[in-house]
Amino acid sequence: MTTTVTSHRTRPPAQPTSLRGRRLPWYAAPAIAVAALALAAGIVYGIDIGGPVLVVVLGAILYLVGLFAAANAVEGRRSARNRTWSALIHSAFVLAVLPLVSVVWTLVSKGTERLDGNFFQTSMNNIGARDANGGAYHAIVGTLEQVGIATLITVPLGVLCAIYIVEYGRGKFAFAIRFFVDVMTGIPSIVSGLFVLAFWVLIVSPWFNDGRPSFSGFAAALALSVLMLPTIVRSTEEMLRLVPAPLREGAYALGVPKWKTILRVVLPTALPGIVTGVMLAIARAAGETAPVLLVAGGGAAINTNPFENNQSSLSLFVYQQAGDASKYAPARAWTAALTLVALVLILTIAAKLLARRNRLSR
């Protein structure tokens, strides 16, 4: 009996097919960008048709064209479109950040010239055009008092108005409130100043000043309140609408009254967004010049009483110093502008930290 043995040849295992196609090397995009800027600079300066701004704009266009062509040749049309759109998104981000960086750099570089103790401890009283001293102490005091009073007026009123619109408002009355708040959002600052001038300064203030109209920091705070109120109402309204309905329903199911649910559940949940809206309103009010000029009058002396006599503010101080003929005035204006931005930034950070702490404590 013959046994036949069949030998089976072992085949090598099949190699897995790579699912990744060809890709541009990591240095391709920077190289294309450098080449595009060099080509744009050669075109712009060679023909003498512009400056650095045109070089950047033309370089960006050439970069997008070159990136699309290179990616299309190596990776395919689909990947080329993806790379081009990604580059457009990043370019938009850079264009949005560049003005902010430019403003910050300009403020810091020019505002540090008078960043000394004399600037924060003295006013412009008895300061002549040839005097290098003089500061913005009176303007800082005025800004803090005016914005502080306006905040005390508008925050409770704005939050209560938003609560009514969201939680209680139904029908035509709520629609009318929302409509007038939207209208007030677009009111120019000069109009609010004229309103307070016609009502408070010319009609009400003579009752407290022996029949004579008088400027005051409180009048400026009223004008700033008109500007702050719609921002606070609208931002608070949107934040309250974002609170999930199950939170309210759970409180109601436990027998909690509606007013206590709003106070203990709804407001703490929406607090970070409400604080953001309030700080936006404060930042707008702190930078207004026209209302303060119309109803507070400005002044060079220190006035810590917001209810009588003229009072200045940092924004008005910047406006006055920017138009002053003294060679020392521009440095004061830049330092005052830097102080105003730093003041708003400090208040915003402090408010955010306070809101976060209160939220975590609950």
Side-chain angles (χ1 to χ4, degrees):
M1 182 174 180
T2 305
T3 304
T4 305
V5 179
T6 305
S7 61
H8 297 278
R9 295 181 180 180
T10 59
R11 297 179 180 180
Q15 297 294 330
T17 304
S18 177
L19 298 178
R20 300 182 62 181
R22 295 185 302 169
R23 295 183 62 85
L24 288 174
W26 64 268
Y27 55 83
I32 294 173
V34 172
L37 286 176
L39 180 59
I43 294 174
V44 171
Y45 292 115
I47 308 178
D48 194 15
I49 57 175
V53 176
L54 184 58
V55 171
V56 173
V57 173
L58 183 59
I61 297 175
L62 293 176
Y63 168 72
L64 293 175
V65 174
L67 183 64
F68 179 83
N72 187 39
V74 176
E75 300 176 349
R77 181 171 295 273
R78 183 175 182 179
S79 180
R81 290 177 180 175
N82 180 57
R83 281 184 176 272
T84 304
W85 281 108
S86 299
L88 281 173
I89 293 173
H90 288 91
S91 301
F93 170 76
V94 172
L95 289 177
V97 170
L98 278 179
L100 177 61
V101 174
S102 176
V103 170
V104 172
W105 173 255
T106 304
L107 281 175
V108 173
S109 60
K110 296 187 177 182
T112 53
E113 182 177 349
R114 280 298 317 278
L115 204 62
D116 50 32
N118 179 266
F119 183 82
F120 295 102
Q121 297 175 1
T122 60
S123 67
M124 291 299 296
N125 198 25
N126 297 324
I127 299 296
R130 298 183 180 181
D131 195 341
N133 294 322
Y137 178 77
H138 62 299
I140 296 174
V141 171
T143 296
L144 292 176
E145 291 183 350
Q146 294 163 19
V147 175
I149 294 174
T151 303
L152 291 177
I153 295 173
T154 54
V155 170
L157 186 60
V159 172
L160 290 175
C161 183
I163 290 175
Y164 172 79
I165 294 174
V166 175
E167 302 292 340
Y168 298 96
R170 300 292 184 274
K172 295 182 179 179
F173 185 64
F175 175 79
I177 293 177
R178 193 177 294 109
F179 173 76
F180 284 111
V181 168
D182 292 337
V183 171
M184 289 178 62
T185 305
I187 291 180
S189 59
I190 191 70
V191 175
S192 67
L194 288 173
F195 168 73
V196 175
L197 176 67
F199 172 70
W200 181 267
V201 175
L202 299 180
I203 297 178
V204 179
S205 66
W207 297 354
F208 307 98
N209 195 36
D210 298 329
R212 293 175 300 174
S214 63
F215 293 150
S216 64
F218 182 74
L222 292 178
L224 297 179
S225 299
V226 176
L227 300 175
M228 293 175 61
L229 184 60
T231 302
I232 294 176
V233 173
R234 292 298 294 170
S235 60
T236 304
E237 179 187 353
E238 295 301 325
M239 291 302 106
L240 293 179
R241 292 188 186 278
L242 291 178
V243 176
L247 292 179
R248 297 181 175 89
E249 296 169 356
Y252 297 153
L254 294 175
V256 181
K258 187 170 185 177
W259 68 269
K260 189 173 288 187
T261 300
I262 296 171
L263 186 63
R264 296 296 183 88
V265 177
V266 177
L267 286 179
T269 305
L271 184 61
I274 295 174
V275 171
T276 300
V278 171
M279 295 314 301
L280 288 174
I282 289 176
R284 181 190 177 185
E288 291 293 344
T289 303
V292 182
L293 180 62
L294 280 175
V295 299
I302 299 172
N303 178 20
T304 57
N305 186 359
F307 297 100
E308 62 180 20
N309 297 328
N310 292 22
Q311 196 175 53
S312 185
S313 68
L314 279 172
S315 57
L316 182 57
F317 181 83
V318 172
Y319 170 75
Q320 292 172 339
Q321 292 299 311
D324 200 313
S326 174
K327 65 178 182 179
Y328 303 107
R332 299 192 196 105
W334 282 112
T335 305
L338 178 61
T339 304
L340 180 59
V341 173
L343 183 62
V344 173
L345 179 62
I346 292 172
L347 291 176
T348 302
I349 294 175
K352 284 288 187 179
L353 292 178
L354 182 61
R356 181 184 179 186
R357 179 181 177 183
N358 291 339
R359 187 181 183 184
L360 291 178
S361 64
R362 290 184 174 89

